[in-house]
């Protein structure tokens, strides 16, 4: 099995490191690869890292009219092989259907405000409760860096909240987080994600 990390820009190596740690802990046979182009995409799961969503959108436009939303929709909707997709921070922004009141062809039906907590100076860390597994909540130390705020979730489950707002959302095979699990040493979320494959 193969899991791809979208590697145009952002926290790519951090996700690769955490995925490899989680793979080891679960004793799974999964290769982690960095994806720079999407020709011959044949992964069993995809991570879209944090970084800068506007830059990623620009980098993903090509002369054939392909863009990131078309690509993600393609992945998310091939019904027989709906692969798990995890977007963190800028990655979550790329997955959203509504960003700063602009509409995109995203996979998560929610309204997101970029830099909703303020600029870099307002970045922060907080202990939050994850409801990733049924009947069990788990603590997680979440790191928010120029994080988006999820104003409304129209479809899907809320897996974690902070100050009354969703910070982790899941709709079927697609998960979005406003924080950065790749900057911790806690593999919980990766192990949960790998178990969805
Ligand atoms: N503010 C960034 C954006 O709009 C996201 C920040 C991040 O991924 N840490 O894309």
């Amino acid at each position: 099995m193969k899991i791809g990390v979208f590697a145009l820009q952002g926290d790519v190596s951090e996700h690769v490191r955490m995925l490899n740690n989680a793979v080891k802990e679960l004793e799974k046979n999964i290769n982690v690869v960095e994806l720079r182009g999407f020709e011959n995409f044949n992964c069993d799961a995809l991570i879209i890292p944090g970084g800068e969503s506007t830059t990623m959108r620009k980098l993903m436009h090509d002369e054939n009219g392909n863009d990131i939303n078309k690509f993600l929709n393609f992945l998310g909707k091939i019904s027989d092989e709906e692969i798990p997709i995890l977007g963190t921070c800028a990655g979550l922004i790329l997955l959203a259907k509504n960003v700063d009141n602009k509409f995109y062809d995203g996979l998560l039906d929610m309204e997101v405000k970029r830099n909703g907590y303020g600029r870099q100076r307002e970045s922060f860390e907080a202990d939050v409760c994850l409801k990733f597994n049924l009947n069990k909540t788990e603590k997680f130390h979440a790191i928010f860096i120029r994080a988006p705020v999820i104003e409304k979730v129209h479809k899907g489950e809320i897996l974690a909240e902070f100050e009354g707002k969703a910070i982790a959302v899941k709709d079927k095979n697609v998960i979005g987080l406003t924080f950065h699990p790749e900057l911790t040493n806690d593999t919980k979320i990766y192990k949960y994600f790998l178990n969805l494959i």
Side-chain angles (χ1 to χ4, degrees):
M1 273 201 282
K2 202 157 109 184
I3 172 159
V5 180
F6 188 69
L8 291 183
Q9 193 262 346
D11 297 358
V12 179
S13 56
E14 292 83 349
H15 275 296
V16 171
R17 174 184 74 94
M18 288 299 280
L19 275 169
N20 280 324
N21 290 348
V23 165
K24 226 184 258 162
E25 284 174 37
L26 291 176
E27 297 180 3
K28 291 221 182 207
N29 188 10
I30 299 179
N31 280 329
V32 181
V33 295
E34 295 187 11
L35 296 172
R36 277 167 229 286
F38 299 109
E39 310 79 40
N40 308 321
F41 180 90
N42 64 343
C43 288
D44 302 287
L46 173 74
I47 290 197
I48 310 167
E52 189 50 53
S53 55
T54 47
T55 310
M56 291 187 204
R57 272 194 217 281
K58 274 190 207 133
L59 291 171
M60 192 51 203
H61 267 291
D62 72 14
E63 62 285 359
N64 301 319
N66 291 318
D67 67 31
I68 189 166
N69 290 109
K70 275 192 206 145
F71 171 70
L72 293 174
N73 270 297
F74 163 73
L75 284 183
K77 286 182 183 159
I78 0 179
S79 50
D80 288 347
E81 39 183 310
E82 280 187 348
I83 66 161
I85 299 177
L86 170 69
T88 60
C89 206
L92 166 139
I93 294 172
L94 293 177
L95 290 171
K97 278 196 195 297
N98 181 323
V99 179
D100 294 338
N101 295 320
K102 274 206 216 134
F103 293 91
Y104 295 92
D105 199 12
L107 292 171
L108 289 174
D109 194 356
M110 60 186 186
E111 295 173 32
V112 167
K113 191 169 171 228
R114 290 182 59 219
N115 302 311
Y117 296 100
R119 305 298 310 178
Q120 187 76 22
R121 287 190 297 141
E122 279 84 42
S123 295
F124 61 98
E125 302 183 12
D127 286 320
V128 300
C129 276
L130 303 178
K131 288 170 269 179
F132 278 52
N133 297 308
L134 234 76
N135 309 324
K136 196 167 135 202
T137 56
E138 291 174 290
K139 274 232 163 96
F140 194 83
H141 189 69
I143 300 176
F144 298 84
I145 302 171
R146 291 178 290 111
V149 169
I150 300 174
E151 299 287 3
K152 247 187 219 152
V153 177
H154 294 293
K155 206 165 152 265
E157 306 157 57
I158 295 174
L159 301 180
E161 283 178 319
F162 176 70
E163 292 180 341
K165 304 266 190 203
I167 56 168
V169 172
K170 176 174 186 286
D171 189 19
K172 289 189 258 165
N173 53 320
V174 184
I175 301 174
L177 310 176
T178 63
F179 52 94
H180 290 269
E182 74 282 12
L183 300 181
T184 69
N185 281 318
D186 189 337
T187 51
K188 240 180 236 132
I189 292 177
Y190 292 90
K191 288 196 275 193
Y192 170 81
F193 183 65
L194 290 173
N195 280 327
L196 297 178
I197 301 177

